[in-house]
Amino acid sequence: MSIYDNVFGFFVEEAGEHLRVLEGGLLQLEKDPSAAAELIEPLFRAAHTLKGSANLMTITDVGAVAHRIEDLLEDLRTGVGTLRPAQVDAMLFALDQMRELIEFRKQGEVAPERLVTETLRRLAEAETPSAEAEAGDADVVATAEADEPETATALMRNRAEEAARERRSPGRRLEEAGVVRVGMEKIESLMGLVGEFTVTKNHLLSRLPVMEQMRSEVDFAGKRLLKEVSGFAERYDYSLPVQSALSGDESFNELEFDRYDELNLFSRKLREITNDIDAALKEMAGFYKGFSRDVQTLDRMTDEMKEQISAARTVPAGQLFQRFSRMVRDMSQDLGKPVEFLIAGGETPIDRVIYDGLYDPLLHIVRNAFAHGIEPIDERLAADKPATAKILLKAERRGNTVEITVQDDGRGIDLQRVRARGIEKGFFAASDPTSDQELIQLIFRPGFSTTLAADSQSGRGVGMNVVMDRLAGLNGTIDVDTESGQGTSFRLRLPLSLVIVNIIQFSCAGQQLVIPSALVEEIVDLEYAQRTSAVYESHKSLQRIDLAELLKLTATQSTPAYGIVTQSEGTPVMLLVDAMLGQEDTVIKPFGAFLQELPYISGSSLAGDGTMRLVINPARMKRHKSVAVTEAAVASSLPSANTPVAKVLLVDDSLSVRKFASLLLSGRGYEVVTAINGDDALAKLQTEAIFSIITDLEMPGMHGYELLRELKNSDYRHIPVAVLTSRAGEQHRREAFALGATDYLVKPFDEDGLLAVVNRHRQL
């Protein structure tokens, strides 16, 4: 491996930083040209350094582009030219192309020549004419030489020093700055070791109570032994044997010579042994106190080491937010919606893994702000709002979590439109009462969108579902606040670290489980809550989820004693558990690909005694629990074992749709009869007792509309029919209802929506 290969990783990271500085500075300069005096210099320095580093790494195409940007900035710095929008556009375009060129080099591929030529062409068109630039540069030097010879000399010296700096390696500059760059894989490895160290520390801490109990038992037994031996010794140590003579030794009388039998000697030996035991017990007690202090010190040092290494792998939130500046600018121009992009709390540190995982959720939220929230200029002016809208990204640390807020001052979420779409997709009936919070949660459902026609910004119903799934993977939660005509705020709460996580331990149906403490809002003693009416009322409205029932754990006779208040799909819920076991820092190991789709579990964790515990993920519990509640309600209306099972006719030419829907419905107690088109469906109706029909529209042979027409004119007209299709147009919908359809579902369909439709058909 050559020296260039060794340094290339440093160059990539350094180049990324310079490109971020250039992009952020150009956007700020475009917004506030009056700040040119203080902004141009760091931009010029970043372009100059990037040029030198790229040439040093023999990435000359990047060096050439950086050199052109440097020329443009030099003209602005010296006052030869003024900043024009075309220059900003050209330089931003060049930054994107440099990223592409570096990526080609990372992959070991040769970049297309058109990338460089097109970039240089656009920069040349935006650049001040070279004759004027040369004349301006000559005038500057000439004026300096004429008026201030020393200034001219200093200028030449500065340029020579810059040329010398350009030839230095990136590593040398880092040494001068007192910085050593370490790859993320090395920090990840260190964090892994700290994680294993934390597990071992937890094991030691868990053994301390056991050692304390052993010490107490030994101490108690020792004291009993000492007491008994002391009493025995007091009775027999100095008692003399009864005898009439001194066994032949007449030279000493009884007062001049002690005589002992075996009992006396045994008593003295016992006293000596117990004295030794007493000394050993005192030494053991001292050792235990010292060992306890050492373990506590180890605990503190582990926490400090975790904090220090975690800090080494954090990045300022502002770096993440800055990635959206360009996107907001481009979307603002493309859609004709002027938007001011604001950043607050950019200095808040966030974990690098969270930094990488947050980009997609924030991207979807910001895009939705443009698509659904920010109004056109005329609509804002009519509502007495400024023509320029605002989007705020804010980061704030709260205890052991970080809160990311995305806020806009647009029209807010149209809850009436959300409700209408929810009824159309079968999530609930028009007569069902719904709260604002329940309506807000619909936007996180798969396939849900208030936009009927998909465009470049929205309408596919996947964006907010991605947000929820990504946050679940990051052990995060989301809250949504919206006010009609005033705007919407999304608050994302995430842990500070994903390697070593503080967790709450609890038991449920004999199983030890854990949940990240960052997700826990409150722990409720249910017995106390029932005795205290004020506390009980505050939790009465929360949906309660019995974990033992939800996870299908072995049934026990125990009654849940505690409630863990957390969030599921942005709504507070209470998880019912048997007992709380404690709190600790631990390492959460995510599952591999084989188990990563488990809806309620996000990984596993080892206890101090080596017991494996599953990590609860409440993100999707509310929706699935709602299914379970509906299922329980329907169970009473389903036929008994002595009556025929209710049958659903599923008509679709797609094998995968038939399989998936059949598994879903059969798992809820229904028997599913399948057909591949309308002809097949009519044949099945003659032999099967069907209470509900679900049909696609586009099928070979007899399609869905023809089937609806046949059913309408037959003896089967009383059977409710739900259309399940990928056609979301209003014309298709009207035609289906005109032909007798009772429901209209759009693919990809939501499980809850399909179940709600079948359940409603069952009750008709």
Side-chain angles (χ1 to χ4, degrees):
M1 182 178 292
S2 68
I3 187 173
Y4 292 101
D5 294 330
N6 289 327
V7 181
F8 181 72
F10 295 136
F11 164 75
V12 171
E13 188 171 351
E14 184 185 27
E17 179 63 29
H18 291 318
L19 291 172
R20 281 193 295 270
V21 170
L22 286 166
E23 185 173 78
L26 287 172
L27 293 173
Q28 189 175 355
L29 190 60
E30 181 185 43
K31 185 187 301 183
D32 185 14
S34 62
E38 60 185 54
L39 290 177
I40 288 294
E41 189 61 35
L43 294 181
F44 178 82
R45 191 162 52 248
H48 180 79
T49 305
L50 178 59
K51 178 188 71 174
S53 299
N55 289 333
L56 177 68
M57 296 300 300
T58 68
I59 311 178
T60 54
D61 44 9
V62 173
V65 175
H67 180 67
R68 282 296 187 183
I69 295 177
E70 183 185 21
D71 289 342
L72 284 170
L73 294 173
E74 173 68 13
D75 291 342
L76 298 175
R77 189 173 70 151
T78 57
V80 173
T82 57
L83 184 67
R84 292 177 286 112
Q87 291 176 321
V88 176
D89 291 338
M91 285 189 281
L92 290 175
F93 176 78
L95 298 182
D96 290 340
Q97 302 312 302
M98 282 194 284
R99 291 189 177 98
E100 287 290 328
L101 292 170
I102 293 173
E103 186 62 28
F104 273 110
R105 178 63 179 269
K106 283 175 62 177
Q107 302 299 330
E109 301 175 2
V110 178
E113 187 177 349
R114 58 177 175 77
L115 284 180
V116 181
T117 55
E118 174 65 15
T119 304
L120 294 178
R121 183 189 64 79
R122 292 188 60 168
L123 288 172
E125 292 176 355
E127 191 175 5
T128 304
S130 57
E132 295 182 14
E134 292 176 2
D137 189 53
D139 290 342
V140 172
V141 177
T143 302
E145 290 176 345
D147 298 340
E148 304 237 3
E150 294 181 0
T151 303
T153 304
L155 180 61
M156 295 173 61
R157 184 171 59 252
N158 289 339
R159 289 182 174 177
E161 290 176 354
E162 289 177 359
R165 284 197 298 270
E166 183 177 327
R167 293 190 297 270
R168 294 178 180 174
S169 68
R172 177 62 182 273
R173 286 195 298 274
L174 290 171
E175 290 177 9
E176 292 176 350
V179 177
V180 176
R181 292 190 184 274
V182 180
M184 273 299 297
E185 68 280 357
K186 293 184 179 180
I187 296 182
E188 290 290 342
S189 178
L190 287 174
M191 284 300 291
L193 291 175
V194 173
E196 299 298 330
F197 193 56
T198 301
V199 173
T200 304
K201 177 208 70 175
N202 292 339
H203 176 69
L204 289 176
L205 289 174
S206 68
R207 303 306 295 170
L208 282 180
V210 178
M211 292 182 62
E212 170 63 21
Q213 182 179 2
M214 293 172 58
R215 188 196 65 80
S216 299
E217 292 177 356
V218 172
D219 185 58
F220 178 72
K223 288 179 179 178
R224 285 188 59 194
L225 177 62
L226 289 174
K227 180 180 179 181
E228 294 298 327
V229 170
S230 296
F232 182 84
E234 288 175 0
R235 289 195 301 271
Y236 296 107
D237 265 4
Y238 297 100
S239 62
L240 296 178
V242 179
Q243 54 184 11
S244 58
L246 296 178
S247 303
D249 192 345
E250 304 296 341
S251 58
F252 298 98
N253 60 35
E254 293 183 3
L255 297 179
E256 294 178 307
F257 191 79
D258 294 334
R259 292 176 178 266
Y260 304 102
D261 60 8
E262 293 295 330
L263 188 60
N264 300 131
L265 295 176
F266 178 68
S267 174
R268 285 178 174 256
K269 288 180 180 179
L270 283 180
R271 183 180 288 275
E272 291 174 1
I273 292 172
T274 52
N275 288 337
D276 293 341
I277 292 176
D278 186 40
L281 288 175
K282 292 179 179 179
E283 186 176 352
M284 182 186 299
F287 170 80
Y288 177 78
K289 290 180 180 178
F291 180 75
S292 299
R293 286 194 301 269
D294 291 342
V295 173
Q296 297 300 329
T297 302
L298 181 66
D299 186 22
R300 177 181 55 80
M301 292 173 63
T302 303
D303 290 340
E304 291 179 0
M305 184 166 56
K306 179 194 71 174
E307 292 292 335
Q308 293 293 331
I309 299 181
S310 296
R313 57 177 253 154
T314 60
V315 292
Q319 289 189 17
L320 173 63
F321 295 164
Q322 197 62 48
R323 297 172 65 181
F324 297 96
S325 299
R326 175 77 176 282
M327 186 193 76
V328 171
R329 172 187 180 272
D330 293 344
M331 292 184 68
S332 177
Q333 292 179 351
D334 295 342
L335 300 176
K337 297 179 178 180
V339 173
E340 181 181 4
F341 183 60
L342 305 174
I343 292 176
E347 71 284 352
T348 304
I350 58 177
D351 189 276
R352 183 56 187 260
V353 177
I354 294 177
Y355 173 94
D356 294 333
L358 267 182
Y359 179 74
D360 280 350
L362 293 181
L363 174 65
H364 289 294
I365 293 175
V366 173
R367 289 170 67 91
N368 270 9
F370 271 99
H372 302 289
I374 304 300
E375 314 95 328
I377 295 178
D378 55 351
E379 184 178 334
R380 291 183 63 86
L381 294 177
D384 292 330
K385 300 171 73 172
T388 301
K390 293 181 179 179
I391 293 180
L392 169 68
L393 261 67
K394 178 182 177 182
E396 185 177 5
R397 178 168 178 174
R398 295 182 178 274
N400 61 349
T401 64
V402 60
E403 185 174 281
I404 308 293
T405 302
V406 186
Q407 183 177 352
D408 67 74
D409 64 346
R411 61 171 67 95
I413 299 176
D414 189 344
L415 296 181
Q416 293 304 316
R417 192 172 182 182
V418 170
R419 176 178 169 80
R421 288 290 287 164
I423 295 173
E424 290 177 8
K425 294 182 74 67
F427 295 143
F428 44 79
S431 58
D432 293 342
T434 52
S435 66
D436 289 350
Q437 192 62 40
E438 288 174 332
L439 293 176
I440 289 174
Q441 298 316 307
L442 287 182
I443 67 177
F444 297 107
R445 297 269 184 123
F448 186 89
S449 177
T450 56
T451 302
L452 295 179
D455 55 25
S456 60
Q457 305 301 327
S458 64
R460 305 188 187 279
V462 297
M464 300 310 294
N465 182 51
V466 169
V467 171
M468 181 62 70
D469 287 340
R470 291 294 175 86
L471 286 178
L474 296 172
N475 290 324
T477 61
I478 185 169
D479 291 324
V480 183
D481 293 322
T482 186
E483 185 176 353
S484 179
Q486 300 300 316
T488 304
S489 175
F490 292 84
R491 295 193 309 277
L492 289 66
R493 191 174 63 171
L494 300 116
L496 291 178
S497 173
L498 291 180
V499 178
I500 301 177
V501 181
N502 189 266
I503 51 94
I504 303 295
Q505 307 173 71
F506 60 92
S507 66
C508 187
Q511 298 288 327
Q512 288 190 30
L513 303 169
V514 302
I515 184 172
S517 59
L519 304 183
V520 177
E521 297 182 3
E522 187 180 358
I523 296 175
V524 180
D525 185 328
L526 297 179
E527 182 181 353
Y528 175 77
Q530 290 176 350
R531 293 198 312 265
T532 311
S533 59
V535 177
Y536 178 71
E537 289 297 326
S538 67
H539 302 99
K540 196 171 183 179
S541 61
L542 296 180
Q543 178 181 341
R544 300 192 172 195
I545 300 175
D546 191 329
L547 269 187
E549 176 187 342
L550 185 67
L551 301 179
K552 295 180 173 58
L553 300 177
T554 303
T556 62
Q557 300 300 320
S558 62
T559 301
Y562 292 89
I564 301 176
V565 180
T566 181
Q567 284 194 5
S568 181
E569 297 186 0
T571 303
V573 297
M574 181 183 290
L575 308 182
L576 303 182
V577 302
D578 294 344
M580 306 305 300
L581 303 180
Q583 182 178 7
E584 67 177 27
D585 288 338
T586 189
V587 178
I588 293 180
K589 297 290 187 181
F591 292 129
F594 183 70
L595 296 174
Q596 65 182 2
E597 296 300 327
L598 291 175
Y600 314 123
I601 308 296
S602 61
S604 63
S605 169
L606 284 179
D609 59 359
T611 303
M612 190 194 76
R613 306 161 298 185
L614 296 177
V615 182
I616 295 298
N617 180 358
R620 294 291 190 189
M621 283 184 177
K622 180 179 185 296
R623 177 155 55 94
H624 286 273
K625 182 56 181 177
S626 297
V627 174
V629 171
T630 304
E631 190 180 322
V634 171
S636 59
S637 63
L638 290 178
S640 65
N642 297 324
T643 60
V645 178
K647 296 180 180 181
V648 179
L649 177 60
L650 178 62
V651 190
D652 200 304
D653 61 321
S654 170
L655 176 61
S656 60
V657 171
R658 295 199 305 270
K659 285 289 187 183
F660 181 79
S662 296
L663 289 173
L664 175 66
L665 294 173
S666 61
R668 300 307 189 267
Y670 296 108
E671 182 176 334
V672 181
V673 179
T674 61
I676 60 174
N677 57 27
D679 293 321
D680 191 17
L682 292 175
K684 296 291 176 60
L685 284 170
Q686 296 178 11
T687 59
E688 303 286 352
I690 302 297
F691 81 91
S692 173
I693 300 175
I694 302 169
T695 180
D696 192 9
L697 289 180
E698 298 174 286
M699 297 177 291
M702 182 185 291
H703 55 67
Y705 288 126
E706 293 174 333
L707 174 61
L708 287 170
R709 191 174 292 109
E710 291 290 332
L711 292 172
K712 187 177 181 180
N713 299 319
S714 70
D715 295 336
Y716 307 114
R717 67 175 68 90
H718 65 282
I719 302 177
V721 182
V723 171
L724 179 62
T725 177
S726 58
R727 296 293 185 180
E730 189 60 31
Q731 180 180 357
H732 295 86
R733 191 184 302 269
R734 286 198 303 268
E735 181 69 15
F737 284 124
L739 291 174
T742 58
D743 302 273
Y744 198 95
L745 303 175
V746 179
K747 300 176 183 178
F749 63 90
D750 182 84
E751 298 177 19
D752 296 357
L754 181 61
L755 284 169
V757 167
V758 175
N759 294 338
R760 190 161 60 251
H761 289 182
R762 178 62 187 169
Q763 296 170 359
L764 293 178

